[in-house]
Amino acid sequence: MEPAEYELAFFRRNGFQRRTCVVCGSGFWSLGDHDRCQEAPCRDYGFIGHPIFPHAYEYAAMREKFLAFFEHRGHTRLRRYPTVCRWRNDVFFTQASIYDFQPWVTSGTIPPPANPLTISQPCLRFNDLEEIGRSGRHFSEFEMMAHHAFNRPDHEVYFKDRTVELCHELLTDELGTDPKGITYKEEVWEGGGNLGPSLSVGVLGLELATLVFMEYVRDGDALRPMPLTVVDTGYGLERFVWASHGTKNAYEAVFGAAYDEVRRTFPPREAAVLLDHARTINFLVTDGVVPSNSKEGYFARLAIRRSLRILGKTPDAPALTALLDRMARDLAHQYPEIGQHRDDLHRVVENEAERYADAIDRARSVIRRSEERARSTGQSITADDLLGWYDSLGVPPEVAVEELQAPPAIPADFYARAAARHESDAPATDYAERSEGLPRPPDATPATEVLYYLDPYTDTFESHVVHADGPYVVLDRTYFYPTGGGQVADRGFLGDTEVVDVARVGPWVLHRLERAPGWRVGERVRGRIDKARRMQLMQHHTATHLLNGALREVLGPHVWQAGAYKGPESARIDITHYKPLSKEELHRVERRVNEVVRRDLPVRSYFESRGEAERRFGFTLYQGGAVPGKELRIVEVEGMDVEACGGTHCTHTSEVGAIGILDVERIQDGIVRLTYVSGERALDVREEHEAILSEAARRLGVPVTGLPSGIDRLLGEVEESRKVAKARTKDDLGQTAQALLHDPSAVDVFGDVTVVRARRDGLDRAALQELSRLLTREPKRVALLASERDGTGLFFVGSSTPHIAAAALVEAAKPSFGGRGGGNPSAATAVGEPGQPLSDAMEAARAAARSAAGA
RNA sequence: GGGCACGUAGAUCAGCGGAAGAUCGCUGCUUUCGCAAAGCAGAGGUCGGGGGUUCAAAUCCCCCCGUGUCCA
């Protein structure tokens, strides 16, 4: 980054000097005479016992101070976004305030909700879990306070100068820091293909904020200026509160009274972990994460199980739910949604606690057995075993050690080693828009006016070509719905050419035609949408909203949409839920949605300001993920479901027609998928099912209502005849065995050993085995059995004579008929040539038996 | 999204290439006034599903399905 990037007018105007840190070598700007930047590790924490700000602020007060400061300087205050980053697929959690605006706002696709804006965004980071409580400053949930500005060439809000000016004013005039104590260290920020200069703000060893200026796109080695430049700031609320108290660790300052309460029962480290995790769990569950074994859910599980472990080893520890309630109380002032569904949260957490107890129980018995086995083979349990158990059974090493008589030492780096077992080089998937791979129209192309929002029933329209590139066409206005929000794109025709796909690219709607139509810009075209297909998609989409609402009613508010798909054939919704749906729950959901259909409620779609919509409906608006923009498109079914949604919808619930749930499956731990149909498809599917049922009934010769009992009868009969058949062959073989034993030509007596020979062509291996078993029930017997079947010779030997091994006799017989096989002392088998060689094999075995018997 | 472990009798599990087992539970009998207990006898298994290798697969390999768990 060029030095000029950091030479701000603000610095010059106010007499800041640029110096170089003698420790890290970075350039920094300051009013004070420092030889190093004021950030650890370049210098020690100097604020412990000497607060950076003259007043000590409580957590909520500091946040309010910050937001109000920026609000008074022209920023619009925004409510928090969800901590679960459902609108991106490269990350699970909101880890910084700017995540709220990526990728759509930062890429210029959608205007920012306000500009400039200020927000305090709760963020989740799970990469330093072990540091929590130990370092004195790590949290898994923290708030990043920020002010953001988005600058377009035609609309500059503010950039570097004003940003630093605001920051400086906040720290000094507003919060009372000594201006000379602040250093602005020069850094380079890079992420997501963008980069720009940034300044890191340090005071007395503490990094209070980072001011990032996104202005370039990396293009190979070259840097291109971004069309949209972004002010991305981050001020750590926890750090500000800590700085204002100057306490030894951040936790007592941040958690305040709650910290003191918990400290009465727990040591400092445990207290910090419990409080931190309690906050995290509250946010996670409120924002629709249910504990599970993968993705977001795993972190909820981790936080819950870690907390339970700490609580479990402390006598008189409070219940986890009590702790959650305690933290919810502190958070509820700012975030009323937290703690609003206390009972539901308790159910989710208690269910997880139960599962954890089950897992540990299971693990204990495995561990006991393993040790027993190890002891009997003279081995001992190793640290590797502990690692394996943690990995596959989830049992923490401390618990395993408790269970063992002779435990190994737990390695100090146990959890690091556990993590190392899972190192993979799988690249993180990028949060690309769907537009990836599609041609992007030139920037000068006028944005497409989308009409399907206004009227989802219009299926023919006229418009003009504003861009054409091979089969790709952009119109000035269109009724074609592009793939989005889980709803697949419309089909239809532009002129005489079929539209095979429709996608949103930036501000444009791109129609992909079956072939290049050769149109020129300005040409007038007529569009015609496949109306039946669109209608079906609308029905499926509205049905999805109804189901979502009904599922929340029946199962509880922890239910969030975790994904959805609305196709012409069927639709599905994935929801967060902690156990499989019972038949009864399913039934109630289905009844409820169909009742809403019958009551013919209006489905209202309208635009509303974000703030107003959030105030009226709360956070559950964002079922499909956060939707940027000043205005949200709200789809409301009164009393049932309200979502921010860009899809096409029926205007009355009765248009949806019957809704039939076809399938419910648990697609992963914590996520349940429902597949369903509505409208025309519901009728089709019902007809199909009825046809299948009546055909099945016809074949069974019963009425449809008699199917279940008819099938039971049939299964009973099958079972019965299977038994009869089995018994019969056993009988037959029994008779054969008796006959053989009494047939002098089949029996040889060699000393005290009775050798029975028989050739029974057609018997399979299992029959020979059974016959052999019958013949060798008495001791001192040998059975030599042969069968020719499907052109091969089968030879089977059974022996109840200890010194005559069946396998040895087969060995002896093998050369005679080119047999391959083997066995054990009591039974052996081989296959080879049929006919005479098989008979020779029998003779060879007989001779071997005779000599083995010593006769 | 990836790694690992596990799916065998109603339950808990053993067996890990050569003729499907143990314990508990269940049924019947013996014993008892009755119950419990004990003894004896018995029923109960397409060894999760499908392919493959092998003379031979619960066992080895591959693919599904299900469960658990860890990591990101």
Side-chain angles (χ1 to χ4, degrees), chain A residues 175-199:
Chain A
L175 293 170
T177 312
D178 173 11
K180 290 194 174 127
I182 307 172
T183 58
Y184 294 91
K185 184 169 74 172
E186 298 176 354
E187 292 179 339
V188 177
W189 173 89
E190 181 159 11
N194 298 326
L195 76 168
S198 79
L199 291 166

PDB file of all heavy atoms in Angstrom, chain A residues 175-199:
ATOM      1  N   LEU A 175     -15.478  10.370  25.078  1.00  0.00           N
ATOM      2  CA  LEU A 175     -15.169   9.420  26.148  1.00  0.00           C
ATOM      3  C   LEU A 175     -14.019   9.871  27.043  1.00  0.00           C
ATOM      4  O   LEU A 175     -13.766   9.270  28.081  1.00  0.00           O
ATOM      5  CB  LEU A 175     -14.859   8.041  25.541  1.00  0.00           C
ATOM      6  CG  LEU A 175     -16.072   7.361  24.877  1.00  0.00           C
ATOM      7  CD1 LEU A 175     -15.632   6.139  24.094  1.00  0.00           C
ATOM      8  CD2 LEU A 175     -17.112   6.965  25.925  1.00  0.00           C
ATOM      9  N   GLY A 176     -13.316  10.913  26.632  1.00  0.00           N
ATOM     10  CA  GLY A 176     -12.347  11.523  27.534  1.00  0.00           C
ATOM     11  C   GLY A 176     -10.960  10.920  27.553  1.00  0.00           C
ATOM     12  O   GLY A 176     -10.224  11.049  28.525  1.00  0.00           O
ATOM     13  N   THR A 177     -10.553  10.257  26.487  1.00  0.00           N
ATOM     14  CA  THR A 177      -9.186   9.737  26.417  1.00  0.00           C
ATOM     15  C   THR A 177      -8.221  10.881  26.144  1.00  0.00           C
ATOM     16  O   THR A 177      -8.556  11.810  25.411  1.00  0.00           O
ATOM     17  CB  THR A 177      -9.056   8.741  25.246  1.00  0.00           C
ATOM     18  OG1 THR A 177     -10.133   7.845  25.309  1.00  0.00           O
ATOM     19  CG2 THR A 177      -7.736   7.987  25.297  1.00  0.00           C
ATOM     20  N   ASP A 178      -7.024  10.740  26.674  1.00  0.00           N
ATOM     21  CA  ASP A 178      -5.974  11.702  26.369  1.00  0.00           C
ATOM     22  C   ASP A 178      -5.609  11.563  24.890  1.00  0.00           C
ATOM     23  O   ASP A 178      -5.162  10.507  24.456  1.00  0.00           O
ATOM     24  CB  ASP A 178      -4.763  11.384  27.253  1.00  0.00           C
ATOM     25  CG  ASP A 178      -3.559  12.246  26.875  1.00  0.00           C
ATOM     26  OD1 ASP A 178      -3.727  13.214  26.094  1.00  0.00           O
ATOM     27  OD2 ASP A 178      -2.460  11.928  27.371  1.00  0.00           O
ATOM     28  N   PRO A 179      -5.784  12.639  24.071  1.00  0.00           N
ATOM     29  CA  PRO A 179      -5.521  12.546  22.630  1.00  0.00           C
ATOM     30  C   PRO A 179      -4.094  12.101  22.344  1.00  0.00           C
ATOM     31  O   PRO A 179      -3.830  11.418  21.351  1.00  0.00           O
ATOM     32  CB  PRO A 179      -5.737  13.979  22.128  1.00  0.00           C
ATOM     33  CG  PRO A 179      -6.507  14.670  23.199  1.00  0.00           C
ATOM     34  CD  PRO A 179      -6.212  13.978  24.485  1.00  0.00           C
ATOM     35  N   LYS A 180      -3.168  12.439  23.203  1.00  0.00           N
ATOM     36  CA  LYS A 180      -1.766  12.087  22.949  1.00  0.00           C
ATOM     37  C   LYS A 180      -1.493  10.594  23.122  1.00  0.00           C
ATOM     38  O   LYS A 180      -0.477  10.083  22.694  1.00  0.00           O
ATOM     39  CB  LYS A 180      -0.863  12.877  23.908  1.00  0.00           C
ATOM     40  CG  LYS A 180      -0.824  14.350  23.583  1.00  0.00           C
ATOM     41  CD  LYS A 180       0.323  15.001  24.318  1.00  0.00           C
ATOM     42  CE  LYS A 180       0.479  16.452  23.897  1.00  0.00           C
ATOM     43  NZ  LYS A 180       0.489  17.374  25.052  1.00  0.00           N
ATOM     44  N   GLY A 181      -2.417   9.910  23.781  1.00  0.00           N
ATOM     45  CA  GLY A 181      -2.182   8.487  24.064  1.00  0.00           C
ATOM     46  C   GLY A 181      -2.588   7.565  22.924  1.00  0.00           C
ATOM     47  O   GLY A 181      -2.346   6.366  22.982  1.00  0.00           O
ATOM     48  N   ILE A 182      -3.229   8.130  21.900  1.00  0.00           N
ATOM     49  CA  ILE A 182      -3.768   7.283  20.829  1.00  0.00           C
ATOM     50  C   ILE A 182      -2.756   7.139  19.695  1.00  0.00           C
ATOM     51  O   ILE A 182      -2.134   8.118  19.292  1.00  0.00           O
ATOM     52  CB  ILE A 182      -5.047   7.914  20.250  1.00  0.00           C
ATOM     53  CG1 ILE A 182      -6.044   8.218  21.380  1.00  0.00           C
ATOM     54  CG2 ILE A 182      -5.671   7.004  19.204  1.00  0.00           C
ATOM     55  CD1 ILE A 182      -7.249   9.025  20.929  1.00  0.00           C
ATOM     56  N   THR A 183      -2.584   5.894  19.203  1.00  0.00           N
ATOM     57  CA  THR A 183      -1.801   5.711  17.977  1.00  0.00           C
ATOM     58  C   THR A 183      -2.676   5.064  16.917  1.00  0.00           C
ATOM     59  O   THR A 183      -3.474   4.185  17.214  1.00  0.00           O
ATOM     60  CB  THR A 183      -0.558   4.817  18.202  1.00  0.00           C
ATOM     61  OG1 THR A 183      -0.975   3.545  18.701  1.00  0.00           O
ATOM     62  CG2 THR A 183       0.407   5.456  19.178  1.00  0.00           C
ATOM     63  N   TYR A 184      -2.528   5.565  15.672  1.00  0.00           N
ATOM     64  CA  TYR A 184      -3.224   4.970  14.522  1.00  0.00           C
ATOM     65  C   TYR A 184      -2.184   4.250  13.686  1.00  0.00           C
ATOM     66  O   TYR A 184      -1.378   4.879  13.005  1.00  0.00           O
ATOM     67  CB  TYR A 184      -3.911   6.063  13.696  1.00  0.00           C
ATOM     68  CG  TYR A 184      -5.034   6.755  14.443  1.00  0.00           C
ATOM     69  CD1 TYR A 184      -4.810   7.899  15.207  1.00  0.00           C
ATOM     70  CD2 TYR A 184      -6.337   6.234  14.389  1.00  0.00           C
ATOM     71  CE1 TYR A 184      -5.834   8.516  15.898  1.00  0.00           C
ATOM     72  CE2 TYR A 184      -7.370   6.848  15.081  1.00  0.00           C
ATOM     73  CZ  TYR A 184      -7.119   7.990  15.834  1.00  0.00           C
ATOM     74  OH  TYR A 184      -8.141   8.598  16.512  1.00  0.00           O
ATOM     75  N   LYS A 185      -2.192   2.938  13.793  1.00  0.00           N
ATOM     76  CA  LYS A 185      -1.153   2.144  13.132  1.00  0.00           C
ATOM     77  C   LYS A 185      -1.566   1.784  11.710  1.00  0.00           C
ATOM     78  O   LYS A 185      -2.707   1.364  11.476  1.00  0.00           O
ATOM     79  CB  LYS A 185      -0.883   0.875  13.938  1.00  0.00           C
ATOM     80  CG  LYS A 185       0.249   0.034  13.375  1.00  0.00           C
ATOM     81  CD  LYS A 185       0.668  -1.071  14.325  1.00  0.00           C
ATOM     82  CE  LYS A 185      -0.342  -2.184  14.347  1.00  0.00           C
ATOM     83  NZ  LYS A 185       0.134  -3.347  15.126  1.00  0.00           N
ATOM     84  N   GLU A 186      -0.642   1.912  10.766  1.00  0.00           N
ATOM     85  CA  GLU A 186      -0.932   1.615   9.353  1.00  0.00           C
ATOM     86  C   GLU A 186      -0.928   0.111   9.118  1.00  0.00           C
ATOM     87  O   GLU A 186       0.022  -0.580   9.491  1.00  0.00           O
ATOM     88  CB  GLU A 186       0.136   2.282   8.464  1.00  0.00           C
ATOM     89  CG  GLU A 186       0.158   3.797   8.592  1.00  0.00           C
ATOM     90  CD  GLU A 186       1.286   4.417   7.777  1.00  0.00           C
ATOM     91  OE1 GLU A 186       2.104   3.662   7.218  1.00  0.00           O
ATOM     92  OE2 GLU A 186       1.334   5.670   7.712  1.00  0.00           O
ATOM     93  N   GLU A 187      -1.986  -0.379   8.516  1.00  0.00           N
ATOM     94  CA  GLU A 187      -2.065  -1.796   8.186  1.00  0.00           C
ATOM     95  C   GLU A 187      -2.705  -1.940   6.822  1.00  0.00           C
ATOM     96  O   GLU A 187      -3.211  -0.973   6.250  1.00  0.00           O
ATOM     97  CB  GLU A 187      -2.913  -2.557   9.224  1.00  0.00           C
ATOM     98  CG  GLU A 187      -2.232  -2.616  10.586  1.00  0.00           C
ATOM     99  CD  GLU A 187      -3.062  -3.348  11.633  1.00  0.00           C
ATOM    100  OE1 GLU A 187      -4.291  -3.458  11.438  1.00  0.00           O
ATOM    101  OE2 GLU A 187      -2.478  -3.795  12.629  1.00  0.00           O
ATOM    102  N   VAL A 188      -2.684  -3.145   6.296  1.00  0.00           N
ATOM    103  CA  VAL A 188      -3.380  -3.431   5.040  1.00  0.00           C
ATOM    104  C   VAL A 188      -4.418  -4.496   5.337  1.00  0.00           C
ATOM    105  O   VAL A 188      -4.124  -5.502   5.975  1.00  0.00           O
ATOM    106  CB  VAL A 188      -2.411  -3.944   3.954  1.00  0.00           C
ATOM    107  CG1 VAL A 188      -3.181  -4.306   2.696  1.00  0.00           C
ATOM    108  CG2 VAL A 188      -1.358  -2.889   3.657  1.00  0.00           C
ATOM    109  N   TRP A 189      -5.622  -4.219   4.908  1.00  0.00           N
ATOM    110  CA  TRP A 189      -6.676  -5.209   5.100  1.00  0.00           C
ATOM    111  C   TRP A 189      -6.964  -5.889   3.773  1.00  0.00           C
ATOM    112  O   TRP A 189      -6.975  -5.240   2.728  1.00  0.00           O
ATOM    113  CB  TRP A 189      -7.939  -4.521   5.612  1.00  0.00           C
ATOM    114  CG  TRP A 189      -9.105  -5.465   5.658  1.00  0.00           C
ATOM    115  CD1 TRP A 189      -9.460  -6.256   6.697  1.00  0.00           C
ATOM    116  CD2 TRP A 189     -10.033  -5.725   4.600  1.00  0.00           C
ATOM    117  NE1 TRP A 189     -10.550  -7.006   6.361  1.00  0.00           N
ATOM    118  CE2 TRP A 189     -10.920  -6.698   5.083  1.00  0.00           C
ATOM    119  CE3 TRP A 189     -10.181  -5.234   3.308  1.00  0.00           C
ATOM    120  CZ2 TRP A 189     -11.968  -7.209   4.299  1.00  0.00           C
ATOM    121  CZ3 TRP A 189     -11.209  -5.739   2.528  1.00  0.00           C
ATOM    122  CH2 TRP A 189     -12.100  -6.712   3.027  1.00  0.00           C
ATOM    123  N   GLU A 190      -7.178  -7.187   3.802  1.00  0.00           N
ATOM    124  CA  GLU A 190      -7.518  -7.886   2.568  1.00  0.00           C
ATOM    125  C   GLU A 190      -8.509  -8.993   2.870  1.00  0.00           C
ATOM    126  O   GLU A 190      -8.387  -9.695   3.863  1.00  0.00           O
ATOM    127  CB  GLU A 190      -6.251  -8.480   1.932  1.00  0.00           C
ATOM    128  CG  GLU A 190      -6.545  -9.200   0.632  1.00  0.00           C
ATOM    129  CD  GLU A 190      -5.328  -9.348  -0.274  1.00  0.00           C
ATOM    130  OE1 GLU A 190      -4.208  -9.080   0.193  1.00  0.00           O
ATOM    131  OE2 GLU A 190      -5.514  -9.716  -1.445  1.00  0.00           O
ATOM    132  N   GLY A 191      -9.499  -9.126   2.008  1.00  0.00           N
ATOM    133  CA  GLY A 191     -10.479 -10.200   2.201  1.00  0.00           C
ATOM    134  C   GLY A 191     -11.443 -10.257   1.047  1.00  0.00           C
ATOM    135  O   GLY A 191     -11.799  -9.230   0.462  1.00  0.00           O
ATOM    136  N   GLY A 192     -11.833 -11.468   0.672  1.00  0.00           N
ATOM    137  CA  GLY A 192     -12.837 -11.651  -0.366  1.00  0.00           C
ATOM    138  C   GLY A 192     -12.471 -11.006  -1.689  1.00  0.00           C
ATOM    139  O   GLY A 192     -13.337 -10.581  -2.444  1.00  0.00           O
ATOM    140  N   GLY A 193     -11.144 -10.936  -1.979  1.00  0.00           N
ATOM    141  CA  GLY A 193     -10.721 -10.376  -3.261  1.00  0.00           C
ATOM    142  C   GLY A 193     -10.605  -8.865  -3.240  1.00  0.00           C
ATOM    143  O   GLY A 193     -10.158  -8.250  -4.207  1.00  0.00           O
ATOM    144  N   ASN A 194     -11.011  -8.259  -2.123  1.00  0.00           N
ATOM    145  CA  ASN A 194     -10.896  -6.807  -1.999  1.00  0.00           C
ATOM    146  C   ASN A 194      -9.789  -6.466  -1.017  1.00  0.00           C
ATOM    147  O   ASN A 194      -9.436  -7.272  -0.167  1.00  0.00           O
ATOM    148  CB  ASN A 194     -12.201  -6.204  -1.488  1.00  0.00           C
ATOM    149  CG  ASN A 194     -13.339  -6.454  -2.449  1.00  0.00           C
ATOM    150  OD1 ASN A 194     -13.142  -6.486  -3.651  1.00  0.00           O
ATOM    151  ND2 ASN A 194     -14.519  -6.657  -1.909  1.00  0.00           N
ATOM    152  N   LEU A 195      -9.275  -5.256  -1.144  1.00  0.00           N
ATOM    153  CA  LEU A 195      -8.337  -4.827  -0.124  1.00  0.00           C
ATOM    154  C   LEU A 195      -8.284  -3.309  -0.039  1.00  0.00           C
ATOM    155  O   LEU A 195      -8.866  -2.601  -0.868  1.00  0.00           O
ATOM    156  CB  LEU A 195      -6.947  -5.421  -0.345  1.00  0.00           C
ATOM    157  CG  LEU A 195      -6.039  -4.862  -1.439  1.00  0.00           C
ATOM    158  CD1 LEU A 195      -4.643  -5.396  -1.252  1.00  0.00           C
ATOM    159  CD2 LEU A 195      -6.568  -5.212  -2.793  1.00  0.00           C
ATOM    160  N   GLY A 196      -7.602  -2.855   0.976  1.00  0.00           N
ATOM    161  CA  GLY A 196      -7.478  -1.426   1.167  1.00  0.00           C
ATOM    162  C   GLY A 196      -6.675  -1.142   2.407  1.00  0.00           C
ATOM    163  O   GLY A 196      -6.350  -2.061   3.178  1.00  0.00           O
ATOM    164  N   PRO A 197      -6.321   0.124   2.616  1.00  0.00           N
ATOM    165  CA  PRO A 197      -5.569   0.484   3.807  1.00  0.00           C
ATOM    166  C   PRO A 197      -6.467   0.415   5.033  1.00  0.00           C
ATOM    167  O   PRO A 197      -7.693   0.539   4.928  1.00  0.00           O
ATOM    168  CB  PRO A 197      -5.152   1.931   3.528  1.00  0.00           C
ATOM    169  CG  PRO A 197      -6.182   2.445   2.581  1.00  0.00           C
ATOM    170  CD  PRO A 197      -6.646   1.267   1.766  1.00  0.00           C
ATOM    171  N   SER A 198      -5.848   0.202   6.173  1.00  0.00           N
ATOM    172  CA  SER A 198      -6.637   0.249   7.394  1.00  0.00           C
ATOM    173  C   SER A 198      -5.786   0.838   8.511  1.00  0.00           C
ATOM    174  O   SER A 198      -4.559   0.880   8.412  1.00  0.00           O
ATOM    175  CB  SER A 198      -7.158  -1.141   7.770  1.00  0.00           C
ATOM    176  OG  SER A 198      -6.144  -1.891   8.382  1.00  0.00           O
ATOM    177  N   LEU A 199      -6.452   1.327   9.527  1.00  0.00           N
ATOM    178  CA  LEU A 199      -5.761   1.903  10.681  1.00  0.00           C
ATOM    179  C   LEU A 199      -6.231   1.178  11.926  1.00  0.00           C
ATOM    180  O   LEU A 199      -7.429   0.971  12.127  1.00  0.00           O
ATOM    181  CB  LEU A 199      -6.095   3.401  10.804  1.00  0.00           C
ATOM    182  CG  LEU A 199      -5.517   4.286   9.696  1.00  0.00           C
ATOM    183  CD1 LEU A 199      -6.174   5.652   9.709  1.00  0.00           C
ATOM    184  CD2 LEU A 199      -3.997   4.413   9.838  1.00  0.00           C
TER     185      LEU A 199
END
